[in-house]
Amino acid sequence: VQLQASGGGLVQPGGSLTLSCAASGSSLDNYAIGWFRRAPGKEREGVSCISLSDGSTRYGDAVKGRFTISRDNAKNTVYLRMNSLKPEDTAVYYCATCSVLIAGYFGSWGQGTLVTVSS
């Protein structure tokens, strides 16, 4: 599976941003795709994951209630809608294969997209 993330940028605290992940490859319905992020000086943190087959989801504790993951199977694209953004959400966000059953599992990923939350 090849994954391409886009949509990052600069946003003010309290603002919103939507990331997109375009997936390509065979048997995509067999995969779950999601996001992890990496901030300077911090460990990798799982953000969210969605199953392309049944739409089940998983969220990291830090983003529950603020972020929403969704999919458009016809476009082979996964979206991450991020609301009520905080400065601590600043990180490079990577789109990756994942598991909705296993927290913190990420298989392969593409190039990240930078999200900066700052006034």
Side-chain angles (χ1 to χ4, degrees), residues 16-64:
S16 298
L17 202 61
T18 298
L19 304 182
S20 299
C21 175
S24 60
S26 60
S27 304
L28 289 178
D29 283 354
N30 293 335
Y31 288 90
I33 292 177
W35 304 83
F36 67 86
R37 65 189 181 186
R38 185 168 294 163
K42 295 186 177 181
E43 294 185 357
R44 185 177 78 178
E45 180 182 17
V47 176
S48 188
C49 181
I50 186 168
S51 167
L52 297 187
S53 61
D54 65 10
S56 56
T57 59
R58 169 183 287 277
Y59 292 93
D61 289 341
V63 307
K64 283 179 181 176

Side-chain angles (χ1 to χ4, degrees), residues 6 8 16 31 33 46 53 57 61-62 75 78 83 88 107-109 118:
S6 62
S16 298
Y31 288 90
I33 292 177
S53 61
T57 59
D61 289 341
K75 297 181 178 179
V78 171
N83 294 328
E88 51 264 45
S108 59
W109 54 89
S118 175

Side-chain angles (χ1 to χ4, degrees), residues 67-112:
F67 292 10
T68 302
I69 194 168
S70 61
R71 76 201 199 281
D72 184 336
N73 284 15
K75 297 181 178 179
N76 291 336
T77 301
V78 171
Y79 304 97
L80 184 70
R81 176 64 175 179
M82 306 184 293
N83 294 328
S84 303
L85 282 162
K86 306 174 182 180
E88 51 264 45
D89 293 318
T90 295
V92 178
Y93 285 70
Y94 295 86
C95 174
T97 57
C98 54
S99 171
V100 296
L101 300 178
I102 304 172
Y105 169 79
F106 294 94
S108 59
W109 54 89
Q111 199 167 8

